[in-house]
Amino acid sequence: MSMPALKTDAASTALPVTAAPVVTMTPKRAPQSEKYAKMAKEAAVRVVPPLIVVAFLLVVWELICRRAGSTLPPPSRVFSDTKELIFDPFFDHGGIDKGLFWHLSASLQRVAYGYSLAAIIGVALGTLVGQSVWAMRGLDPLFQVLRTIPPLAWLPLSLAAFRDGHPSAIFVIFITSVWPIIINTAVGIRNIPQDYRNVAAVVQLNPLEFFAKIMIPAAAPYMFTGLRIGIGLSWLAIVAAEMLIGGVGIGFFIWDAWNSSHISEIILALFYVGIIGFVLDRLIAGVAKIVTRGTAVN
Amino acid sequence: MQAYLKLDHIDKIFTRGNATTEVLKDINLTIEKGEYVSIIGHSGCGKSTLLNIVAGLTGATHGGVLLENREVNSPGPDRAVVFQNHSLLPWLTVYENVKLGVDKVFSKTKTRAERDAWVMHNLNLVQMAHAKDKRPNEISGGMKQRVGIARALAMEPKVLLLDEPFGALDALTRAHLQDSVMALHQKLGNTILMITHDVDEAVLLSDRIVMMTNGPSARIGEVLEVPLARPRKRLELATNSGYLKCRQRVLEFLYERHRFVEAA
């Protein structure tokens, strides 16, 4: 029985082998530089259009804000005003008079704590709600109401509870980003195909093995959708929360700049906030791509 | 002869709200060790439900399943299933998919190296060892089903349950895989219970064909012995009178006496 299969396999592979040298010769003759040129072309296609748009917008901005009496500084002034902050992000004169690096890292730390907590608790609660009908009936209405509360509305309550700005900020991050993680995880768990459950039943996986080997990988694409929305929301919330809490952090840096009328500094800070938000999003997307390889396509 | 697998007065009633549907009615069947039994019937007659009851994935409303005189009512590796749509876990490689079952079943009786060798042995049986590091979405439908068979075989089941294992495959791949299953049955002597709706497949592979009447309340209408010597050769059987007679019997049952009444 197996013999015909092997024979046909050999026959079908034999054909391309004879044809192969002819095929491979052509690309080899092509100079290496052609390959680089192609890569450069691909990069240019991605990079050039946004560069043109950015340059165009900068020119428009410059033209609009150049006039005397303009309320906002033009890009050239922003650059000259904030040169010091751009080129020396690491200075530390004590108190809150620090370089942007320290402000950003303080904010990122808060996000890291709050978001990690949200990820762990969100996945755990999402699993519970996805797995148990009664947990869903009991908890889902609660989640649907709580998730609509704006992040900053939690801040006074958490300040009252914790009596300190730092844990309050972390709590706000947590409470903002936990909902999409819970809801998406629950959907992912509920959508695990019956086939996989049957396989687990036949193999007799215990609940713990089922959780680790079937549930988490099967629900991973959904979980990461939630985690990605969550990181975006937590970065949104931290800036607002820090404005009110004070201390070191990019949010308070912006607020402080506003109070001292350093509009250029605000613009620089916004630029950094945007870039970091983008990087965080890409980071989670990258992790998702590695973790869910194979799962998404079925 | 002692019954190896016994389906004893199985009824299955599904209840949805107020509506109750009797799917299976008084199913009695005994299967001997090493026997290859097919269950054939029109779609919707409850044959997959019956297989799920034997597998323990669904409970019977009345009656039960006895394997070596002991009742079985929950799923387990002693009744490994090859699912219709292969059901390989897409995030595991071919090797890891087979290993999942092997690790559970032989966690105490085999060392790590022995388990590894056992996985490879079973992949070799279905000629899939070359693709051990591939993921399911990188191999063809027929190959996936081969891996599904290897996963089930590797658990050393007492009964191998095949749920329309070739249903989703094209005709050529199907024939190829049927030959493989026949060869495996010949070599390993497994007891096999297969669900099918393909008459030729049933006659070619089985020792006995169980024909089910149409649902609701499907019963076993007729059991046909297939008195053909093994190993069987597809081409030779095409003109074999015994083969044709069996084929005729099943066709008559399905298309004359128990015509599928709803629009097909």
Side-chain angles (χ1 to χ4, degrees), chain A residues 14-24:
Chain A
L15 272 172
V17 165
T18 52
V22 189
V23 181
T24 47

Side-chain angles (χ1 to χ4, degrees), chain A residues 25 58 69-70 74 82 93 98 105 121 159 171 179 212 230-231 249 252 266 271 276-277:
Chain A
M25 283 308 279
L58 282 176
S70 161
T82 59
H93 300 316
K98 292 176 197 255
S105 84
I121 293 177
L159 277 171
F171 176 76
W179 309 117
I231 194 85
F252 187 68
I266 297 178
F271 174 75
I276 288 181

Side-chain angles (χ1 to χ4, degrees), chain A residues 2 195-196 202 204 209 213 293, chain B residues 75 77 85 90-91 104 135:
Chain A
S2 67
D195 296 343
Y196 299 169
V202 169
Q204 287 183 332
E209 287 168 325
K213 291 184 176 171
R293 79 201 123 82
Chain B
N85 54 353
W91 54 89
K104 274 306 278 186
R135 283 173 204 284

Side-chain angles (χ1 to χ4, degrees), chain B residues 68-259:
Chain B
E68 290 185 314
N69 286 321
R70 292 173 67 180
E71 182 172 12
V72 284
N73 49 19
S74 62
D78 55 345
R79 283 151 293 131
V81 186
V82 177
F83 298 95
Q84 179 175 11
N85 54 353
H86 68 79
S87 297
L88 297 179
L89 304 175
W91 54 89
L92 297 181
T93 62
V94 162
Y95 174 86
E96 289 164 339
N97 263 294
V98 179
K99 188 123 190 296
L100 185 72
V102 170
D103 277 348
K104 274 306 278 186
V105 177
F106 302 106
S107 60
K108 295 193 181 74
T109 50
K110 279 188 181 13
T111 66
R112 181 178 286 268
E114 282 169 345
R115 291 201 297 260
D116 171 73
W118 180 241
V119 171
M120 289 317 292
H121 170 74
N122 281 282
L123 282 175
N124 271 319
L125 278 181
V126 296
Q127 298 143 34
M128 282 302 297
H130 61 92
K132 74 181 181 78
D133 294 322
K134 292 220 165 96
R135 283 173 204 284
N137 57 28
E138 296 167 334
I139 59 179
S140 70
M143 288 171 153
K144 284 178 199 162
Q145 207 50 277
R146 281 176 189 276
V147 178
I149 293 169
R151 176 173 63 186
L153 283 177
M155 293 183 237
E156 280 196 329
K158 291 177 177 158
V159 182
L160 188 60
L161 303 173
L162 309 179
D163 186 3
E164 295 186 24
F166 316 117
L169 304 174
D170 65 86
L172 292 175
T173 313
R174 186 186 306 173
H176 200 59
L177 213 51
Q178 285 166 350
D179 290 344
S180 292
V181 168
M182 260 198 293
L184 285 171
H185 179 234
Q186 188 79 13
K187 188 171 171 184
L188 306 174
N190 310 73
T191 310
I192 300 179
L193 181 62
M194 177 175 80
I195 301 293
T196 183
H197 50 225
D198 182 329
V199 176
D200 290 300
E201 179 174 293
V203 178
L204 178 67
L205 296 176
S206 329
D207 297 317
R208 274 194 297 157
I209 302 173
V210 175
M211 291 172 257
M212 299 206 30
T213 64
N214 286 329
S217 300
R219 288 169 297 104
I220 293 179
E222 197 177 325
V223 179
L224 177 71
E225 297 263 353
V226 182
L228 298 171
R230 293 180 186 271
R232 297 173 182 170
K233 294 254 163 34
R234 179 183 301 279
L235 287 175
E236 292 165 18
L237 284 179
T239 51
N240 181 310
S241 65
Y243 175 84
L244 293 173
K245 219 185 272 171
C246 289
R247 196 168 172 275
Q248 188 64 23
R249 276 288 288 281
V250 180
L251 285 172
E252 266 170 24
F253 179 90
L254 288 177
Y255 296 105
E256 267 176 32
R257 281 187 282 155
H258 295 278
R259 225 149 76 226

Side-chain angles (χ1 to χ4, degrees), chain A residues 85 89-104 106 110 242-243 245-260 262 265:
Chain A
L85 284 166
F90 298 109
F91 71 86
D92 184 354
H93 300 316
I96 56 159
D97 189 9
K98 292 176 197 255
L100 271 170
F101 173 81
W102 302 111
H103 287 288
L104 286 167
R110 291 192 182 107
E242 282 176 348
M243 281 188 178
I245 288 164
V248 179
I250 193 67
F252 187 68
F253 176 86
I254 293 173
W255 192 244
D256 193 41
W258 158 244
N259 283 330
S260 346
H262 292 152
E265 288 183 10

